[in-house]
Amino acid sequence: MPSPIVVQVVIDKPLAQGFDYLWDPQALGLSPEIGHIVEVPFGRSTLVGVVIKVSTHSDFEINKLKSVIQAAPLPPLDSSALRLMGFASQYYIHGLGETIIPTIPKMWKTPAGWQKNIEKLAPSESKKIKKKKNEELKRSEGFISESELNEAQESALKTLRANLADGEFKAALLQGQTGSGKTAVFLNWLSTALKDEDAQALILVPEINLTPQLERRVRAYFPDKKMVVLHSGVSEKKRGIAWFEAVTGKAKIILGTRLAALTPIPNLRAIVVDEEHDPSYKQQDGIRYSARDLAVWRAHDLKIPILLSSATPSLETWMAAKSGRYQHLRLDQRAQGAGLPKVHLINMRDPQNQFSPGDQDKPIAKISLSKPLVNAINRNLQDKKQSLVLINRRGYAPVLSCSACSWLSKCQQCSSYMVMHKAGALSRKPLLSCHHCGLVKQIPGHCPDCGNADLKALGQGTQKLEDAIEEVWPSARVLRVDTDSSRRGKGAEELFQEIHDGNVDIVVGTQMIAKGHDYQNIGLVAVLDADSRLFSQDFRAAERLFAQLVQVAGRAGRASKDGEVSGDIYIETQFPESAVFQYLLRHDVDGFLSHIASERDEAKLPPFSYQGLVHAEAKSLDKAIQFLTNLKGRLKARGLIASRLRVYDPVPKSMVRVAGVERAQLVVESDDRRQLQDVLEAIDLDLRDGSQGRISKVERIRWLIERDPISI
């Protein structure tokens, strides 16, 4: 009698181990392989899992093992993808099953539909998809024309092509001014990487809103290469098809956000991480991985080159390039000879920059813009140029207040205020909305505390600014671009197209408008309320503000149709002497990064140390703090708090309460990466010992370990 075949399967549960099942080749119609997606019985239900081991032995009684129900009609996940997910699971202290399974689209996690889904991928479906892509390509014709590369671009391309020829891991930072032609360089590079018929390439972008424009460029540049797009905004059906074509090697170019970083790509030859500095690459729920860092590990594992591209590199990447670990390629001039925008710092402490009391009865008084900025917008409108006004606050006003007492529109479930939204944004009536937990309420007719009917909106968001601009410049065509407006009839892509087509004079928006968009007629960029992010408990706040200012400044001053170049960025601030603004004034990215590197080194903050974070959530803050305090005590008692390792006292999070849950955190820091990893793994074992999943059995505290946090 032949020996039974035993497979170990991992499932999407917060468990440290897999489960053994019997595999019947005759019943299943195929032999088992590591990477097979399968349906297995689990308790009283069935779940989808992935085979990670095949053997003839089990530590449990064979006759008590349950059998695999069916295997998905898909090729097994390739070994390199499983190595990547294995590393991610270990490094980010997360179960292997709950690392792998969430990367599989819903289409392939529904066993009842497996056969039907395969039928969807019949030639007829492929023809429909191809027809749609051809239509998209036609829309892109004329939008992109890859010009000849300049000397700096050619030099960078030569180095990158040499990396491909070497056939080994090479990481390169392509640092270039906004508008310097970084995209043209990496598209030319990928054309070399994709010369092999089977070769595949991965392009990562930080946000969904950046995908359509780059997608058009890539499709126009590679009209004969099958390309798929993967991000959370894609429908489940499209994502399932795209994932299938990536996994089977049919798709040669995979473009996506951070979720694409863990997609199995069997013939991967090159990776591009565009805007590598962007914090959106860090997952903020589930397994909290960095897509950029995993992309670097993946390239190293596969012995292939990777390109990290940015006008404002993260300090970690910039220092890796400076130290020689990464190649450092520079594009210090804008493509086609365009100049950099001129930076104007408007000191809001100077009374001369404010409108006089005599202007209070004029429309201009309703807009909280400085006099120099209003004058600049007037000139820009006269020059038939577009203006872009950035304010990082959506809604009408950040808080509603009572003029008679101290009442404010606080969220009942969070440590925050409910934002006022005018009618038409989220509903037909004005309302209050919490941007943290999603709670929505009607605006009260009078103060809930004192009954006063005079409620005032404090501060301004994009909606209020839009209304004021329309009143001050009634003949101007004004467009608001934020997550609220993009959820209405026109999606974000159509809003951006309105700007590209010249149908807009003044654009008001959040950071959505600041990144990566190649606007051709922006003559002026204005940044309001930049100071709100200048001072923060987050040590990375200044770095992020500087990056955003450089990015938004880069939307101005690109070459116009007649070849003339002009552009200005105006920043309203009460602290023009701040290092962030002074380095921006000189367009000195390297100087700023060197400055913050010195500060971080002195304080022994990342990247000069390594951090982990233990999150705790409970119904009361005291319980969450006590849970972490007890954990620290156990670590100390076991001698795990050694030299060069620092475990700080637990503290409430900056946003303590979200959706009725109180939150606290414990920071673990070390000068040695391996030492930190060992301690975090020990913490995981300690907490799992008294928990069911990630909820402590006694205190009912939900906990999570995060490696390399970007927000503390």
Side-chain angles (χ1 to χ4, degrees), residues 80-148:
S80 64
L82 291 176
R83 288 197 303 274
L84 172 69
M85 294 183 207
F87 167 78
S89 169
Q90 181 180 19
Y91 185 79
Y92 292 106
I93 323 291
H94 220 66
L96 182 57
E98 55 181 348
T99 299
I100 298 176
I101 306 301
T103 70
I104 302 171
K106 187 177 180 180
M107 174 186 282
W108 303 109
K109 290 191 289 191
T110 309
W114 279 344
Q115 193 57 43
K116 181 181 177 182
N117 293 336
I118 286 295
E119 293 170 1
K120 285 181 180 179
L121 296 172
S124 59
E125 181 68 25
S126 298
K127 287 179 181 176
K128 283 198 294 184
I129 296 170
K130 186 175 182 180
K131 180 181 179 183
K132 183 176 181 183
K133 296 307 180 187
N134 286 340
E135 291 171 354
E136 291 176 355
L137 182 57
K138 286 180 181 178
R139 289 207 311 269
S140 73
E141 290 176 0
F143 181 76
I144 293 300
S145 58
E146 290 298 332
S147 58
E148 292 185 6

Side-chain angles (χ1 to χ4, degrees), residues 354-366 371:
Q354 310 295 330
F355 284 96
S356 65
D359 296 315
Q360 293 304 310
D361 58 342
K362 300 177 183 178
I364 199 70
K366 296 182 180 181
K371 187 182 294 185

Side-chain angles (χ1 to χ4, degrees), residues 692-709:
Q692 183 175 1
R694 288 195 184 85
I695 301 177
S696 62
K697 294 178 182 177
V698 177
E699 306 97 329
R700 306 305 295 170
I701 307 290
R702 185 179 296 276
W703 57 270
L704 179 74
I705 299 172
E706 180 177 4
R707 183 70 201 261
D708 301 335

